[in-house]
Amino acid sequence: MAEEKEGLTTAEVLRKTRTYGQVRCHNPSCLGRLQPEPGADRVKCPVCGMEFRVTWIKSGFPRIRGPVWDVNVKIAEEAFQRKMKEEKKDGPQ
Amino acid sequence: MALNRKIAYIDLSTGKIEIKPIPIEIRRKFLGGRGLDAYLLYNHTKKGIDPLGPENVLLVSGGLLTATLASATARTHVMAKSPLGGMIGSANMGGFFAPELAWAGFHHLVIKGKAEKPVYLWIHNGKIEIRDARNIWGKTVTETQWAIREELGDEEIKSMVIGPAGENLVRFANVMTGIKNSGGRTGMGAVMGSKNLKAIAVRGTMDIKIAHPKEALEYNKRFIDQITSAKVNQTQGTLGTPFIWGATNSWGGIRCRNFQYNQQLYCDEIEPEAIDEVCTQTVGPYHMASCFGCQVHCRAKYRIPSGPYKGVYDEGPEYTSQGAFCGEPDCRSIETLLVGNHLVNQFGLDNLETGSLIAWAMELYELGILTDKETEGLELRFGNDEALLEMVKRIAFRKGWLGDTLAEGGLIASERIGKNSFDYLIQVKGVSNLHSDERATPALALNVATASRGSDHLRSRPAIDLYHLPEPVLRKIYSTPVPYDGPLSSEHTEYVGKPWQVFWQENCYMAVDCLGICKYHTVFLGATLPNFEDWPKVIYYNTGLEFTPRELWDIAERCNMIERLFNLREGLKREDPYRGDMLNHRYFDEPTRRGAPDVVGRVIDREKFRKMIDEFYSYKGLDENGVPKPETLKRLGLENEPSHLL
Amino acid sequence: MEIRGKVLTVYPEKCTGCRLCELVCSVYHDGVSNAMRSRIRIVKWESEGVYVPMICQQCQDAPCMIVCPVKAISRDEELNRVMVNHDICIGCRSCVAICPFGAMGFNVIDRKNFKCDLCDGDPQCVRFCEVKAVDYVDAERISLDKKRAAAGKITAAQRQAIALELESR
Ligand code: SF4
Ligand SMILES: [Zn+2]
């Protein structure tokens, strides 16, 4: 039988980084920790600028419900225009 | 004992039934479940058979640990040659069927031939009977199950059945059990239908001796704590799989309008919390249900809140239904989602395939490749909810030219529709892609392209790739039980290190499928969940069999290789767009336009993709064409296949 | 403080229907997996999604105890449970027939009746049920909890009635 592993398990390693009262930005390249104001229904990521609607599972436990569409759609459109311009300059990567 | 569960050979043409033990040497090579099914399929079918002919073999199984204390041993596996793409056909479902089958004395059923008229199997404490199914033919999924209970006078009977779609040989018909537990993808329901087999009913009260009951109980308790303390499982247990869809759509990883966009916009009505509200209103605050022995309880219960189906009870909808009835066709009504989910459950249709094909047809209609002539006046446009639900019905009953055509699956349908319709078909090996868009996630793209049963997210997807886990955490997971010191990247848009992750996941998921455990109980969505290091104890306490983590890994690799051998025998070619490890050209040519800034403007890089495949092949011991090298077969003990040991 | 009896209690609306309790019960008592041997059984109305755990109520005036012709069944006041003495039991199954909850089982393999023994004070079903659809609590607390729940329902109904009345005015 395999012996117990020494040191910390993956669960323990990750548990150390667990935070409460915060949510992670949905942008996979950002994943910034966002701390909505208590009771707020929106939160803006200070790092990447994406904005999300917030729901509260209970007091102190926020969850992202979904994007603030108008804001994030605009960010996406700008990013797309920018990248297409860059691509024309450098040719396809 | 789990180890004394039997294998039964049932010939529906002759009515002959043979019951045999499963030798321990076979267990040590293939464990059970999907792995042993793959061995049986390779051994009991001949090259090039018609998947809907009597020569195809239908395999039904539980895993080695089914009904024991291993935290969620609910899964039933079903295998045959697929009528959808002609490759490995394989379906896996939760519920309560496999445990009942194990209590009835069986782990594996090998069903051959074709019954002259509709029949069903009745399996009860070691006995198997072939019964007349005239009275249940034509019934929906749940009607069939309740009718069998009534006919046999036992409310505890669990049945695996087909609905009208399976009877009508829709090439992506499901096998189903309970309200919504679906053995989906690859048309196992059509294979059942082609054999005139409407249902398999089981009831068992035979003991399964647990080798070390005290230890099994204690270890299971630890396991459950580990599983329920994972945050992803807690969310799963309140919002179900829709939460994955919601989060993924939020950053732009969801197909919309077939493959035109990678995000559905302004779809607040169908986001997870909105679905949850309907469940709460129509069922109550406690509306989550479980499969056998599972403490994750990810299945929601609901009643349709409005419209012509108001008040109808069903379960789900899973994120595949959100993909099928919301994102892909770009419909945004919760009623459409809940009704669509209900229809596919009752007809026994694969929601994912159904939604993908309809979305494809919608794109063809908008492009003028399909016209009102083929749709018989139906305005098959994106966002047309009525047209979407109407097409679901037409497919299940093969109604009209288009209903009948789509029921044949994408490959045959694209031939019939002609023009350049194939270019728009988002599939791999004849199986439509999941509702996810992998253009920004090369690891996931590699998984989809190389999955054995055709495009699939449950065969090798390194889903945790999106969490940007620190490198040491990734290394901890991906370098056991076999050492790996190559690169690993936390960056989801990267190409390096991904082939190893996909290879590791492929073996991990195979092991889980052999054991009969649910994937939410391993490294799929949660990085902290049990895997190779933890399973030897569970197996030992429950069955008394001893394995090292490495041995389990080798078994998984062997079983995956058998699936590969089957696919190669049926014509798999590396870059063949029809039956290869290949993606639709749009992955490489059309950049994503929506989602998070870093996700926008992404395509899969052809050259880097090719390199990933090369590397993936090398880990598997395949040559550059994807064919196993002789030394690989030797290492895995497969040099003499088919070996006909069972 | 006086020691109050603890009781096994069920909250059916919370049950997810997983049947893990059945599995652990049979493994704990008999060392096998077999739902048929479980002392707790989940009765389901699948087409409506209703699951109800059924257990022995450990009745004060237990019908099984009264009907047993050889007095094999008795109450254990310390753990607040009804127990069968298999040395005395003659296997007539009168108890199985009379139990209004179907909580007395008969096992055809061992040819013995069986019932919940509260696992000697550490009920395994409770230990494993994450959603606490079965719980083991002070009898006193339950009746208080249930009173509160019932009272809540009544006041909610009253509030609703008042609201309706106000609306219709
Ligand atoms: S363990 Fe709890 S949730 Fe599962 S069936 Fe038993 S009572 Fe219901
Ligand atoms: Zn951010």
Side-chain angles (χ1 to χ4, degrees), chain C residues 68-83:
Chain C
C68 177
V70 292
K71 301 260 167 296
I73 302 178
S74 60
R75 271 195 67 86
D76 164 3
E77 293 304 340
E78 198 183 322
L79 279 172
N80 209 345
R81 60 181 177 173
V82 174
M83 295 292 280

Side-chain angles (χ1 to χ4, degrees), chain B residues 290 293-295 297, chain C residues 10-12 14-22 24 40 42 44 51-53 125-126 128-134:
Chain B
S290 288
C294 180
Q295 298 303 295
H297 48 78
Chain C
V10 168
Y11 300 95
K14 292 188 185 170
C15 176
T16 67
C18 73
R19 301 175 66 195
L20 180 61
C21 49
E22 296 182 357
V24 296
I40 179 170
I42 309 301
K44 295 191 180 182
Y51 319 133
V52 185
C125 49
V126 173
F128 279 83
C129 180
E130 285 284 322
V131 297
K132 291 283 162 275
V134 275

Side-chain angles (χ1 to χ4, degrees), chain B residues 153-382:
Chain B
D154 186 344
E155 280 298 309
E156 303 264 309
I157 289 170
K158 306 288 179 290
S159 311
M160 177 184 118
V161 307
I162 55 171
E167 295 175 11
N168 296 331
L169 306 184
V170 176
R171 285 176 188 265
F172 43 93
N174 282 355
V175 294
M176 308 272 303
T177 183
I179 305 287
K180 73 140 272 255
N181 291 114
S182 317
R185 328 272 22 232
T186 68
M188 295 299 94
V191 175
M192 252 176 101
S194 75
K195 299 193 170 306
N196 266 331
L197 180 60
K198 176 70 174 166
I200 303 174
V202 294
R203 175 79 178 108
T205 56
M206 289 161 79
D207 289 343
I208 298 174
K209 199 171 162 347
I210 303 296
H212 304 280
K214 265 215 186 75
E215 291 82 353
L217 269 170
E218 293 319 305
Y219 199 67
N220 191 37
K221 181 70 190 146
R222 261 187 53 191
F223 235 54
I224 291 173
D225 291 343
Q226 191 180 353
I227 283 151
T228 53
S229 66
K231 199 165 167 228
V232 64
N233 281 346
Q234 292 164 358
T235 315
Q236 199 76 285
T238 41
L239 297 172
T241 54
F243 105 85
I244 308 173
W245 197 91
T248 313
N249 192 45
S250 185
W251 59 257
I254 292 286
R255 314 211 250 138
C256 180
R257 303 202 163 211
N258 196 20
F259 202 69
Q260 295 179 13
Y261 298 102
N262 56 313
Q263 184 180 53
Q264 186 180 28
L265 303 179
Y266 300 98
C267 50
D268 305 7
E269 200 183 302
I270 53 103
E271 65 194 15
E273 273 83 1
I275 298 171
D276 192 58
E277 275 155 31
V278 170
C279 299
T280 306
Q281 277 158 17
T282 57
V283 175
Y286 304 102
H287 53 253
M288 300 307 281
S290 288
C291 295
F292 177 78
C294 180
Q295 298 303 295
V296 176
H297 48 78
C298 65
R299 193 166 80 236
K301 304 187 266 193
Y302 71 87
R303 283 182 192 275
I304 297 170
S306 54
Y309 291 86
K310 184 173 175 178
V312 171
Y313 175 81
D314 214 303
E315 293 170 3
E318 303 295 341
Y319 73 150
T320 43
S321 279
Q322 283 169 298
F325 304 115
C326 305
E328 293 173 22
D330 204 3
C331 294
R332 294 169 205 173
S333 134
I334 191 157
E335 193 184 308
T336 303
L337 168 62
L338 299 178
V339 171
N341 186 60
H342 174 65
L343 293 180
V344 288
N345 284 349
Q346 284 300 313
F347 298 155
L349 270 178
D350 185 70
N351 56 358
L352 210 158
E353 196 67 43
T354 306
S356 294
L357 290 179
I358 296 175
W360 172 58
M362 284 176 165
E363 188 166 17
L364 299 182
Y365 182 83
E366 295 203 341
L367 288 166
I369 297 173
L370 281 174
T371 66
D372 285 331
K373 189 170 147 265
E374 287 89 12
T375 67
E376 278 143 285
L378 193 68
E379 243 201 277
L380 202 54
R381 292 190 180 283
F382 289 119

Side-chain angles (χ1 to χ4, degrees), chain C residues 105-164:
Chain C
F106 189 80
N107 166 357
V108 286
I109 304 174
D110 306 338
R111 309 209 62 77
K112 258 191 200 166
N113 65 355
F114 62 95
K115 70 177 295 298
C116 172
D117 59 359
L118 297 173
C119 303
D120 301 329
D122 182 19
Q124 297 298 304
C125 49
V126 173
R127 191 171 160 233
F128 279 83
C129 180
E130 285 284 322
V131 297
K132 291 283 162 275
V134 275
D135 210 349
Y136 191 50
V137 291
D138 279 339
E140 190 88 325
R141 216 196 80 201
I142 298 211
S143 64
L144 271 177
D145 282 356
K146 297 230 154 143
K147 274 195 193 86
R148 176 165 284 278
K153 273 186 203 145
I154 293 169
T155 48
Q158 272 171 353
R159 278 191 212 118
Q160 252 171 19
I162 294 168
L164 273 178

Side-chain angles (χ1 to χ4, degrees), chain A residues 1 4 8 10-11 14 18 26-29 31 50 52-53 55 63 65 67 69-70 73 75-76 80 83, chain B residues 229 235 239 250-251 264 266 268 271 273-274 277 467-468 476 492 528 537 540 592-593 595-598 600:
Chain A
M1 302 277 31
E4 290 293 324
L8 297 177
T10 315
L14 288 175
R18 176 87 64 89
H26 270 181
N27 177 353
S29 303
L31 296 176
M50 286 180 81
F52 302 98
R53 284 169 289 127
T55 177
R63 223 190 87 78
R65 193 178 161 126
W69 291 110
D70 290 339
V73 164
I75 292 177
F80 187 74
K83 285 196 188 176
Chain B
S229 66
T235 315
L239 297 172
S250 185
W251 59 257
Q264 186 180 28
Y266 300 98
D268 305 7
E271 65 194 15
E273 273 83 1
E277 275 155 31
Y467 301 169
H468 285 222
K476 191 155 195 138
H492 67 282
T528 60
K537 283 205 192 90
Y540 176 71
T592 51
R593 311 186 60 119
D598 244 12
V600 168

Side-chain angles (χ1 to χ4, degrees), chain B residues 618-632:
Chain B
S618 76
Y619 294 137
K620 280 176 76 77
L622 309 174
D623 66 18
E624 70 277 16
N625 296 317
V627 178
K629 298 176 184 158
E631 63 263 31
T632 307

